[in-house]
Amino acid sequence: RALRIANAAQQMANAARGNTGSVMLFIEILNKYLYFFEKGNPQVTVAAIQGLIELIMNEMQSDTATPDPSADAFLATTMRYIQFQKQKGGTVGEKYEPIKV
C-alpha cells in the first residue's frame, strides 16, 4: 500500500517539479519495512524488501534522476545497517541473511 502511495506521489512530483525527492520517499519506506521486518510482521517479506531495494537502485541510476547527495548518504546508511544486522548473527542476522545489498 505504501508503495502505491509513493508511486502516486512520485508521479505528482515528476509532473510538478521533476524527479527530485521521490527516491528519498522510497528509502524512507525501505527503513519502515526493515523496522516491521525485524518486529516479525509476516506481511513484510524478504522479497518485498529486495524489490524495494532494486526499485531504489533503478531510480537512482535512471537517466532522468537528479543526483542527490543526501539520498545517496541515506541509502548508504540503510545498506550499512542491513550489513551490520547480517554480521551480528543470531536470529536477527538469520532474518537478514537472504537480503542482497
Side-chain angles (χ1 to χ4, degrees):
R1 185 173 180 195
L3 286 177
R4 280 185 281 160
I5 294 169
N7 278 327
Q10 179 185 13
Q11 290 172 356
M12 289 172 52
N14 288 345
R17 67 185 182 334
N19 209 13
T20 59
S22 61
V23 171
M24 290 292 281
L25 180 60
F26 288 132
I27 299 169
E28 189 67 42
I29 292 170
L30 173 61
N31 279 277
K32 298 299 181 196
Y33 270 39
L34 293 174
Y35 172 81
F36 288 110
F37 179 69
E38 277 185 33
K39 298 298 180 189
N41 186 324
Q43 295 178 334
V44 181
T45 63
V46 170
I49 292 170
Q50 196 67 54
L52 190 51
I53 290 171
E54 290 171 14
L55 175 68
I56 292 167
M57 296 298 196
N58 288 339
E59 284 294 317
M60 292 182 90
Q61 294 170 356
S62 169
D63 291 341
T64 60
T66 306
D68 186 355
S70 60
D72 292 340
F74 192 18
L75 181 61
T77 302
T78 301
M79 294 299 142
R80 278 194 306 272
Y81 177 79
I82 293 170
Q83 280 298 112
F84 173 75
Q85 293 298 2
K86 284 178 156 187
Q87 294 170 354
K88 196 158 87 169
T91 56
V92 175
E94 288 175 9
K95 280 179 136 181
Y96 276 87
E97 195 56 41
I99 301 172
K100 296 179 181 33
V101 291

XYZ file of all heavy atoms in Angstrom:
782
model
N 0.829 -1.191 0.000
C 0.000 0.000 0.000
C 0.874 1.255 0.000
O 0.581 2.214 -0.687
C -0.905 -0.051 1.223
C -1.878 1.070 1.249
C -2.863 0.873 2.380
N -3.786 1.967 2.373
C -4.564 2.255 3.358
N -4.554 1.496 4.428
N -5.370 3.266 3.290
N 1.938 1.220 0.798
C 2.838 2.375 0.870
C 3.508 2.624 -0.477
O 3.707 3.773 -0.869
C 3.893 2.152 1.952
N 3.842 1.551 -1.190
C 4.479 1.719 -2.500
C 3.527 2.346 -3.506
O 3.944 3.159 -4.339
C 4.993 0.383 -3.021
C 6.239 -0.142 -2.331
C 6.597 -1.506 -2.878
C 7.387 0.811 -2.487
N 2.247 1.984 -3.444
C 1.280 2.604 -4.354
C 1.168 4.095 -4.078
O 1.116 4.909 -5.002
C -0.089 1.939 -4.224
C -0.163 0.628 -4.998
C -1.537 0.068 -4.947
N -1.620 -0.569 -3.623
C -2.718 -0.866 -2.975
N -3.879 -0.607 -3.494
N -2.693 -1.435 -1.803
N 1.141 4.466 -2.803
C 1.082 5.881 -2.434
C 2.350 6.588 -2.883
O 2.306 7.695 -3.423
C 0.868 6.033 -0.916
C -0.515 5.500 -0.537
C 1.024 7.484 -0.480
C -0.738 5.355 0.949
N 3.505 5.942 -2.695
C 4.774 6.538 -3.105
C 4.829 6.721 -4.616
O 5.315 7.753 -5.104
C 5.937 5.669 -2.636
N 4.341 5.735 -5.369
C 4.325 5.873 -6.828
C 3.441 7.029 -7.259
O 3.798 7.791 -8.164
C 3.855 4.569 -7.483
C 4.972 3.565 -7.614
O 6.118 3.924 -7.816
N 4.636 2.304 -7.478
N 2.287 7.169 -6.623
C 1.396 8.286 -6.946
C 2.062 9.618 -6.600
O 1.998 10.585 -7.381
C 0.073 8.145 -6.202
N 2.719 9.669 -5.456
C 3.420 10.891 -5.056
C 4.558 11.210 -6.020
O 4.796 12.366 -6.369
C 3.960 10.753 -3.638
N 5.250 10.164 -6.469
C 6.343 10.353 -7.411
C 5.826 10.909 -8.731
O 6.416 11.810 -9.303
C 7.082 9.038 -7.645
C 8.215 9.175 -8.635
C 8.870 7.848 -8.942
O 8.348 6.797 -8.611
N 10.027 7.904 -9.580
N 4.727 10.375 -9.220
C 4.162 10.864 -10.476
C 3.739 12.318 -10.353
O 3.956 13.113 -11.267
C 2.989 9.990 -10.900
C 3.414 8.616 -11.352
C 2.244 7.686 -11.601
O 1.096 8.039 -11.359
N 2.539 6.483 -12.072
N 3.155 12.667 -9.207
C 2.762 14.061 -8.993
C 3.992 14.959 -8.924
O 4.004 16.056 -9.482
C 1.933 14.188 -7.720
C 0.546 13.592 -7.845
S -0.375 13.534 -6.305
C -0.259 15.182 -5.709
N 5.031 14.504 -8.245
C 6.257 15.288 -8.120
C 6.933 15.466 -9.468
O 7.429 16.544 -9.787
C 7.215 14.631 -7.124
N 6.957 14.400 -10.263
C 7.568 14.482 -11.593
C 6.838 15.489 -12.457
O 7.460 16.246 -13.201
C 7.568 13.114 -12.276
C 8.574 12.168 -11.657
O 9.453 12.576 -10.911
N 8.432 10.896 -11.962
N 5.537 15.517 -12.376
C 4.749 16.456 -13.177
C 4.959 17.882 -12.696
O 4.989 18.815 -13.496
C 3.274 16.091 -13.105
N 5.135 18.051 -11.402
C 5.233 19.392 -10.842
C 6.638 19.982 -10.924
O 6.819 21.125 -11.322
C 4.778 19.383 -9.390
N 7.656 19.205 -10.535
C 8.981 19.812 -10.420
C 10.130 18.908 -10.808
O 11.262 19.130 -10.418
C 9.195 20.331 -9.013
C 9.267 19.233 -7.949
C 9.369 19.868 -6.586
N 9.490 19.077 -5.435
C 9.095 17.842 -5.196
N 8.547 17.140 -6.105
N 9.262 17.281 -4.027
N 9.899 17.854 -11.502
C 10.984 16.963 -11.896
C 11.072 15.773 -10.963
O 10.154 15.480 -10.217
N 12.203 15.092 -10.946
C 12.339 13.804 -10.284
C 12.939 13.879 -8.886
O 13.179 12.865 -8.265
C 13.202 12.891 -11.170
C 12.861 11.436 -10.993
O 11.853 11.084 -10.407
N 13.715 10.585 -11.510
N 13.230 15.056 -8.371
C 13.891 15.155 -7.071
C 12.948 14.797 -5.944
O 11.783 15.119 -5.956
C 14.426 16.584 -6.845
O 13.327 17.487 -6.916
C 15.463 16.971 -7.875
N 13.461 14.108 -4.967
C 12.697 13.803 -3.769
C 12.026 12.451 -3.750
O 11.760 11.915 -2.682
N 11.719 11.874 -4.898
C 10.990 10.608 -4.904
C 11.831 9.466 -4.341
O 11.304 8.592 -3.653
C 10.519 10.277 -6.303
O 11.604 10.148 -7.189
N 13.127 9.478 -4.590
C 13.995 8.407 -4.086
C 14.049 8.467 -2.561
O 14.047 7.424 -1.899
C 15.409 8.508 -4.702
C 16.370 7.558 -4.046
C 15.344 8.247 -6.187
N 14.056 9.660 -2.009
C 14.066 9.795 -0.546
C 12.836 9.135 0.060
O 12.927 8.480 1.094
C 14.120 11.276 -0.150
C 15.441 11.941 -0.452
S 16.791 11.321 0.560
C 16.486 12.215 2.064
N 11.710 9.288 -0.596
C 10.483 8.672 -0.119
C 10.600 7.148 -0.129
O 10.223 6.479 0.841
C 9.302 9.126 -0.979
C 7.933 8.581 -0.619
C 7.540 8.965 0.798
C 6.913 9.115 -1.610
N 11.145 6.595 -1.185
C 11.323 5.148 -1.269
C 12.304 4.639 -0.210
O 12.102 3.570 0.369
C 11.792 4.725 -2.662
C 10.732 4.831 -3.716
C 11.013 5.455 -4.911
C 9.477 4.298 -3.534
C 10.050 5.559 -5.905
C 8.503 4.390 -4.510
C 8.790 5.024 -5.702
N 13.361 5.389 0.051
C 14.326 4.979 1.076
C 13.672 5.020 2.453
O 13.894 4.137 3.286
C 15.599 5.856 1.019
C 16.288 5.713 -0.337
C 16.555 5.476 2.149
C 17.396 6.721 -0.580
N 12.863 6.028 2.682
C 12.133 6.117 3.951
C 11.198 4.916 4.119
O 11.113 4.325 5.195
C 11.339 7.423 4.004
C 10.731 7.708 5.347
C 11.753 7.986 6.433
O 12.732 8.703 6.166
O 11.571 7.464 7.544
N 10.524 4.535 3.057
C 9.646 3.358 3.100
C 10.464 2.101 3.374
O 10.049 1.244 4.167
C 8.830 3.235 1.798
C 7.815 4.372 1.709
C 8.133 1.881 1.719
C 7.134 4.486 0.367
N 11.635 1.991 2.748
C 12.513 0.847 2.998
C 12.865 0.754 4.482
O 12.832 -0.328 5.070
C 13.789 0.949 2.153
C 14.867 -0.095 2.425
C 14.359 -1.507 2.154
C 16.107 0.195 1.582
N 13.177 1.879 5.088
C 13.510 1.882 6.507
C 12.329 1.424 7.366
O 12.505 0.686 8.331
C 14.000 3.262 6.942
C 15.448 3.471 6.591
O 16.330 3.042 7.320
N 15.700 4.100 5.465
N 11.137 1.834 6.997
C 9.939 1.386 7.724
C 9.721 -0.114 7.528
O 9.364 -0.824 8.458
C 8.696 2.159 7.279
C 8.755 3.640 7.533
C 8.895 3.957 9.000
C 8.928 5.467 9.180
N 9.415 5.863 10.484
N 9.937 -0.586 6.300
C 9.828 -2.023 6.020
C 10.800 -2.796 6.910
O 10.444 -3.831 7.469
C 10.155 -2.311 4.554
C 8.990 -2.274 3.595
C 7.985 -1.330 3.704
C 8.914 -3.172 2.550
C 6.932 -1.293 2.807
C 7.862 -3.144 1.647
C 6.878 -2.206 1.784
O 5.844 -2.179 0.894
N 12.036 -2.317 7.018
C 13.032 -3.006 7.826
C 12.619 -3.063 9.292
O 12.818 -4.075 9.963
C 14.400 -2.338 7.678
C 15.048 -2.459 6.306
C 16.322 -1.626 6.252
C 15.311 -3.899 5.935
N 12.017 -1.992 9.777
C 11.551 -1.959 11.158
C 10.516 -3.061 11.393
O 10.626 -3.848 12.338
C 10.957 -0.583 11.484
C 10.278 -0.537 12.829
C 11.014 -0.382 13.998
C 8.900 -0.679 12.938
C 10.397 -0.358 15.237
C 8.273 -0.654 14.169
C 9.023 -0.494 15.313
O 8.402 -0.477 16.536
N 9.510 -3.106 10.523
C 8.452 -4.101 10.697
C 8.952 -5.522 10.402
O 8.471 -6.489 11.005
C 7.238 -3.756 9.834
C 6.487 -2.563 10.364
C 6.501 -1.362 9.682
C 5.786 -2.641 11.560
C 5.822 -0.261 10.180
C 5.103 -1.547 12.063
C 5.126 -0.345 11.373
N 9.930 -5.638 9.521
C 10.548 -6.933 9.229
C 11.213 -7.484 10.492
O 11.044 -8.651 10.842
C 11.559 -6.762 8.095
C 12.291 -8.009 7.713
C 11.641 -9.060 7.087
C 13.649 -8.134 7.949
C 12.320 -10.217 6.715
C 14.349 -9.270 7.575
C 13.671 -10.312 6.955
N 11.947 -6.631 11.184
C 12.616 -7.043 12.420
C 11.621 -7.414 13.506
O 11.876 -8.303 14.304
C 13.520 -5.918 12.945
C 14.843 -5.881 12.294
C 15.758 -4.845 12.911
O 15.667 -4.588 14.140
O 16.565 -4.281 12.157
N 10.501 -6.721 13.527
C 9.486 -6.982 14.549
C 8.687 -8.246 14.249
O 7.864 -8.660 15.049
C 8.528 -5.792 14.689
C 9.199 -4.518 15.134
C 9.820 -4.686 16.501
C 10.497 -3.399 16.938
N 11.278 -3.568 18.134
N 8.929 -8.854 13.083
C 8.291 -10.123 12.763
C 6.961 -10.009 12.054
O 6.188 -10.968 12.030
N 6.682 -8.867 11.449
C 5.430 -8.718 10.696
C 5.479 -9.647 9.483
O 6.337 -9.503 8.623
C 5.252 -7.263 10.254
C 3.926 -7.009 9.596
O 3.399 -7.845 8.876
N 3.393 -5.823 9.838
N 4.540 -10.590 9.383
C 4.595 -11.563 8.290
C 4.303 -10.967 6.912
O 4.620 -11.583 5.900
C 3.529 -12.594 8.675
C 2.594 -11.861 9.570
C 3.424 -10.829 10.286
N 3.724 -9.781 6.857
C 3.423 -9.154 5.569
C 4.642 -8.499 4.936
O 4.642 -8.204 3.748
C 2.304 -8.129 5.727
C 0.993 -8.771 6.116
C -0.104 -7.757 6.315
O 0.150 -6.602 6.623
N -1.334 -8.191 6.122
N 5.685 -8.268 5.724
C 6.919 -7.684 5.202
C 7.900 -8.828 4.977
O 8.485 -9.351 5.911
C 7.501 -6.631 6.166
C 8.773 -6.026 5.585
C 6.480 -5.546 6.461
N 8.056 -9.191 3.715
C 8.881 -10.346 3.363
C 10.232 -9.909 2.808
O 10.420 -8.739 2.449
C 8.169 -11.194 2.301
O 8.019 -10.403 1.112
C 6.807 -11.674 2.785
N 11.133 -10.873 2.713
C 12.442 -10.613 2.097
C 12.249 -10.164 0.651
O 12.922 -9.242 0.177
C 13.335 -11.870 2.178
C 14.587 -11.710 1.336
C 13.701 -12.179 3.617
N 11.303 -10.785 -0.050
C 11.045 -10.423 -1.450
C 10.585 -8.971 -1.573
O 10.992 -8.261 -2.497
C 10.007 -11.361 -2.051
N 9.752 -8.514 -0.642
C 9.279 -7.134 -0.675
C 10.435 -6.161 -0.436
O 10.554 -5.141 -1.127
C 8.182 -6.922 0.363
N 11.283 -6.495 0.511
C 12.438 -5.637 0.814
C 13.400 -5.622 -0.363
O 13.870 -4.557 -0.777
C 13.135 -6.107 2.104
C 12.215 -5.857 3.299
C 14.480 -5.407 2.292
C 12.680 -6.486 4.588
N 13.674 -6.791 -0.922
C 14.587 -6.883 -2.064
C 14.038 -6.103 -3.256
O 14.770 -5.395 -3.941
C 14.808 -8.349 -2.440
C 15.991 -8.570 -3.325
C 17.300 -8.256 -2.613
O 17.572 -8.780 -1.555
N 18.098 -7.400 -3.201
N 12.745 -6.211 -3.497
C 12.118 -5.474 -4.592
C 12.222 -3.974 -4.397
O 12.472 -3.224 -5.355
N 12.062 -3.531 -3.176
C 12.170 -2.100 -2.888
C 13.604 -1.610 -3.063
O 13.834 -0.525 -3.614
C 11.665 -1.824 -1.476
C 11.483 -0.380 -1.063
C 10.665 0.407 -2.078
C 10.826 -0.306 0.299
N 14.570 -2.408 -2.655
C 15.977 -2.038 -2.848
C 16.278 -1.911 -4.343
O 16.918 -0.945 -4.773
C 16.917 -3.071 -2.173
C 16.809 -2.969 -0.654
C 18.365 -2.864 -2.627
C 17.528 -4.076 0.104
N 15.800 -2.860 -5.132
C 16.026 -2.812 -6.581
C 15.340 -1.600 -7.206
O 15.914 -0.952 -8.087
C 15.538 -4.100 -7.219
C 16.403 -5.299 -6.880
C 15.815 -6.625 -7.325
O 14.859 -6.621 -8.128
O 16.316 -7.665 -6.862
N 14.142 -1.280 -6.748
C 13.443 -0.096 -7.243
C 14.235 1.176 -6.952
O 14.396 2.037 -7.822
C 12.046 -0.014 -6.599
C 11.229 1.233 -6.918
C 10.813 1.240 -8.383
C 10.011 1.302 -6.019
N 14.755 1.271 -5.743
C 15.549 2.447 -5.359
C 16.797 2.542 -6.225
O 17.133 3.620 -6.734
C 15.917 2.384 -3.863
C 14.655 2.553 -3.007
C 16.953 3.446 -3.509
C 14.848 2.189 -1.545
N 17.491 1.425 -6.399
C 18.713 1.425 -7.213
C 18.400 1.843 -8.658
O 19.146 2.632 -9.241
C 19.375 0.052 -7.204
C 19.859 -0.368 -5.851
S 21.126 0.760 -5.242
C 21.809 -0.201 -3.944
N 17.308 1.319 -9.206
C 16.925 1.688 -10.577
C 16.587 3.159 -10.689
O 16.961 3.819 -11.664
C 15.741 0.837 -11.054
C 16.133 -0.593 -11.335
O 17.301 -0.895 -11.554
N 15.157 -1.471 -11.302
N 15.892 3.686 -9.699
C 15.531 5.107 -9.711
C 16.781 5.989 -9.625
O 16.875 7.002 -10.297
C 14.591 5.443 -8.549
C 13.182 4.983 -8.747
C 12.471 5.702 -9.874
O 12.608 6.934 -9.997
O 11.788 5.027 -10.654
N 17.735 5.568 -8.803
C 18.948 6.370 -8.624
C 19.842 6.319 -9.862
O 20.576 7.259 -10.128
C 19.703 5.923 -7.383
C 18.954 6.231 -6.113
S 19.840 5.760 -4.648
C 20.743 7.270 -4.322
N 19.786 5.219 -10.614
C 20.613 5.076 -11.805
C 19.899 5.548 -13.065
O 20.494 5.557 -14.137
C 21.040 3.624 -11.970
C 21.949 3.162 -10.866
C 22.197 1.671 -10.883
O 21.628 0.944 -11.682
N 23.054 1.207 -9.988
N 18.662 5.961 -12.930
C 17.873 6.420 -14.070
C 18.509 7.656 -14.703
O 19.101 8.487 -14.027
C 16.455 6.750 -13.596
O 15.746 7.423 -14.587
N 18.374 7.762 -16.019
C 18.924 8.903 -16.736
C 18.252 10.214 -16.337
O 18.855 11.272 -16.397
C 18.770 8.712 -18.250
C 19.655 7.603 -18.777
O 20.630 7.238 -18.087
O 19.368 7.091 -19.871
N 16.996 10.126 -15.937
C 16.258 11.342 -15.588
C 16.429 11.742 -14.134
O 15.950 12.790 -13.724
C 14.753 11.163 -15.883
O 14.264 10.065 -15.108
C 14.512 10.912 -17.366
N 17.085 10.894 -13.334
C 17.258 11.184 -11.911
C 18.281 12.295 -11.714
O 19.353 12.291 -12.311
C 17.692 9.936 -11.163
N 17.922 13.239 -10.865
C 18.835 14.305 -10.493
C 19.696 13.799 -9.341
O 19.149 13.312 -8.351
C 18.046 15.550 -10.032
O 17.117 15.900 -11.053
C 18.965 16.714 -9.740
N 21.023 13.883 -9.453
C 21.879 13.406 -8.357
C 21.544 14.133 -7.054
O 21.398 15.349 -7.031
C 23.297 13.752 -8.822
C 23.196 13.876 -10.301
C 21.804 14.369 -10.581
N 21.404 13.371 -5.996
C 21.040 13.923 -4.697
C 21.970 13.335 -3.641
O 21.796 12.180 -3.231
C 19.583 13.596 -4.388
C 19.083 14.256 -3.114
O 19.886 14.898 -2.405
O 17.877 14.113 -2.823
N 22.945 14.114 -3.174
C 23.898 13.596 -2.187
C 23.235 13.133 -0.893
O 23.672 12.169 -0.277
C 24.838 14.772 -1.925
C 24.660 15.691 -3.082
C 23.284 15.470 -3.602
N 22.171 13.799 -0.479
C 21.515 13.389 0.757
C 20.820 12.038 0.587
O 20.818 11.216 1.506
C 20.523 14.449 1.239
O 19.521 14.676 0.276
N 20.246 11.772 -0.585
C 19.635 10.465 -0.854
C 20.709 9.384 -0.899
O 20.504 8.284 -0.372
C 18.848 10.493 -2.159
N 21.849 9.704 -1.508
C 22.960 8.743 -1.556
C 23.426 8.382 -0.148
O 23.644 7.211 0.163
C 24.131 9.313 -2.357
C 23.819 9.458 -3.836
O 22.880 8.798 -4.322
O 24.517 10.249 -4.506
N 23.555 9.398 0.707
C 24.006 9.164 2.081
C 22.968 8.367 2.872
O 23.321 7.459 3.638
C 24.289 10.494 2.768
N 21.702 8.692 2.679
C 20.621 7.998 3.382
C 20.581 6.523 2.984
O 20.487 5.632 3.833
C 19.298 8.694 3.064
C 18.126 8.292 3.916
C 18.268 7.649 5.134
C 16.846 8.579 3.487
C 17.171 7.296 5.911
C 15.734 8.239 4.245
C 15.904 7.596 5.460
N 20.707 6.252 1.698
C 20.713 4.875 1.215
C 21.948 4.125 1.718
O 21.851 2.966 2.138
C 20.639 4.818 -0.309
C 20.617 3.412 -0.902
C 19.392 2.633 -0.420
C 20.641 3.470 -2.416
N 23.098 4.777 1.688
C 24.332 4.136 2.166
C 24.211 3.757 3.641
O 24.631 2.663 4.044
C 25.522 5.063 1.949
N 23.608 4.612 4.433
C 23.404 4.322 5.850
C 22.475 3.131 6.033
O 22.722 2.251 6.859
C 22.831 5.561 6.570
O 23.734 6.655 6.401
C 22.622 5.304 8.047
N 21.414 3.087 5.244
C 20.462 1.973 5.324
C 21.137 0.665 4.928
O 20.951 -0.371 5.573
C 19.235 2.249 4.436
O 18.622 3.463 4.872
C 18.236 1.122 4.504
N 21.947 0.693 3.867
C 22.645 -0.516 3.420
C 23.660 -0.979 4.469
O 23.818 -2.180 4.700
C 23.341 -0.276 2.081
C 22.407 -0.037 0.932
S 21.339 -1.458 0.666
C 19.844 -0.661 0.238
N 24.338 -0.028 5.120
C 25.277 -0.390 6.191
C 24.531 -1.039 7.353
O 25.028 -1.989 7.973
C 26.052 0.839 6.677
C 27.238 1.186 5.819
C 28.171 2.180 6.498
N 27.517 3.395 6.944
C 27.350 4.499 6.201
N 27.800 4.533 4.966
N 26.762 5.552 6.687
N 23.339 -0.541 7.634
C 22.531 -1.124 8.706
C 22.187 -2.583 8.386
O 22.280 -3.452 9.244
C 21.254 -0.301 8.911
C 20.342 -0.899 9.951
C 20.607 -0.723 11.309
C 19.234 -1.653 9.587
C 19.779 -1.286 12.270
C 18.407 -2.221 10.543
C 18.686 -2.023 11.875
O 17.876 -2.596 12.827
N 21.776 -2.834 7.148
C 21.451 -4.201 6.737
C 22.682 -5.094 6.884
O 22.605 -6.205 7.412
C 20.892 -4.231 5.302
C 19.523 -3.534 5.255
C 20.782 -5.664 4.781
C 18.992 -3.299 3.848
N 23.831 -4.606 6.420
C 25.082 -5.376 6.537
C 25.416 -5.658 8.006
O 25.832 -6.751 8.357
C 26.244 -4.625 5.886
C 26.292 -4.753 4.394
C 26.482 -6.196 3.966
O 25.581 -6.786 3.386
N 27.625 -6.772 4.251
N 25.246 -4.640 8.845
C 25.520 -4.801 10.274
C 24.629 -5.873 10.877
O 25.094 -6.716 11.653
C 25.320 -3.461 10.999
C 25.414 -3.573 12.490
C 26.643 -3.726 13.107
C 24.275 -3.541 13.286
C 26.736 -3.844 14.491
C 24.355 -3.658 14.659
C 25.593 -3.812 15.267
N 23.352 -5.863 10.526
C 22.422 -6.855 11.065
C 22.806 -8.260 10.597
O 22.678 -9.219 11.356
C 20.978 -6.535 10.663
C 20.435 -5.274 11.279
C 20.373 -5.310 12.806
O 20.757 -6.254 13.457
N 19.893 -4.241 13.387
N 23.272 -8.380 9.361
C 23.718 -9.683 8.851
C 24.911 -10.193 9.646
O 24.990 -11.371 9.999
C 24.118 -9.577 7.377
C 22.976 -9.487 6.419
C 23.558 -9.350 5.028
C 22.615 -9.806 3.975
N 23.216 -9.835 2.659
N 25.856 -9.310 9.913
C 27.086 -9.695 10.602
C 26.870 -9.942 12.087
O 27.643 -10.656 12.715
C 28.152 -8.616 10.415
C 28.613 -8.486 8.988
C 29.481 -7.264 8.752
O 29.663 -6.440 9.638
N 29.996 -7.131 7.537
N 25.814 -9.375 12.621
C 25.527 -9.509 14.045
C 25.228 -10.953 14.423
O 25.516 -11.388 15.534
C 24.353 -8.594 14.403
C 24.182 -8.345 15.862
C 23.413 -7.074 16.126
C 21.931 -7.281 16.129
N 21.204 -6.111 16.646
N 24.648 -11.665 13.496
C 24.342 -13.066 13.755
C 23.073 -13.228 14.580
O 22.286 -12.302 14.727
N 22.884 -14.420 15.095
C 21.700 -14.703 15.887
C 20.448 -14.757 15.029
O 20.516 -14.905 13.805
N 19.307 -14.658 15.671
C 18.051 -14.760 14.934
C 17.837 -13.573 14.001
O 17.297 -13.739 12.904
C 16.851 -14.875 15.897
O 16.860 -13.765 16.793
C 16.903 -16.161 16.682
N 18.261 -12.388 14.410
C 18.111 -11.208 13.545
C 19.018 -11.341 12.329
O 18.606 -11.066 11.198
C 18.414 -9.901 14.324
C 18.389 -8.700 13.404
C 17.414 -9.699 15.450
N 20.229 -11.781 12.532
C 21.163 -11.983 11.437
C 20.655 -13.003 10.430
O 20.816 -12.848 9.230
N 20.024 -14.046 10.948
C 19.449 -15.071 10.058
C 18.314 -14.509 9.220
O 18.142 -14.873 8.061
C 18.946 -16.253 10.887
C 20.044 -17.091 11.478
C 19.521 -18.189 12.387
O 18.281 -18.410 12.433
O 20.328 -18.809 13.080
N 17.538 -13.606 9.792
C 16.444 -12.978 9.042
C 16.989 -12.151 7.882
O 16.436 -12.132 6.802
C 15.628 -12.051 9.955
C 14.637 -12.716 10.838
C 13.958 -11.662 11.674
C 12.483 -11.917 11.703
N 11.783 -10.914 12.487
N 18.070 -11.428 8.149
C 18.639 -10.511 7.168
C 19.505 -11.201 6.114
O 19.786 -10.627 5.074
C 19.462 -9.417 7.860
C 18.620 -8.271 8.350
C 18.017 -8.290 9.597
C 18.433 -7.146 7.564
C 17.256 -7.241 10.043
C 17.675 -6.086 8.004
C 17.087 -6.139 9.244
O 16.321 -5.091 9.674
N 19.927 -12.416 6.395
C 20.866 -13.115 5.506
C 20.412 -13.188 4.051
O 21.216 -12.967 3.142
C 21.162 -14.513 6.064
C 22.372 -15.153 5.432
C 23.637 -14.326 5.549
O 23.879 -13.744 6.618
O 24.364 -14.243 4.551
N 19.147 -13.474 3.753
C 18.749 -13.584 2.336
C 18.682 -12.253 1.580
O 18.597 -12.248 0.351
C 17.364 -14.235 2.368
C 17.013 -14.443 3.794
C 18.093 -13.906 4.639
N 18.766 -11.137 2.289
C 18.697 -9.831 1.628
C 20.035 -9.522 0.984
O 21.075 -9.546 1.655
C 18.299 -8.714 2.610
C 16.934 -9.018 3.229
C 18.294 -7.361 1.912
C 16.535 -8.073 4.343
N 20.016 -9.237 -0.302
C 21.248 -8.940 -1.041
C 21.382 -7.427 -1.191
O 20.481 -6.770 -1.674
C 21.220 -9.607 -2.397
C 21.201 -11.122 -2.299
C 21.145 -11.792 -3.624
C 21.090 -13.284 -3.563
N 20.412 -13.892 -2.459
N 22.530 -6.930 -0.736
C 22.799 -5.489 -0.857
C 23.983 -5.224 -1.739
O 24.780 -6.061 -2.002
C 23.014 -4.828 0.531
C 21.719 -4.820 1.299
C 24.095 -5.530 1.321
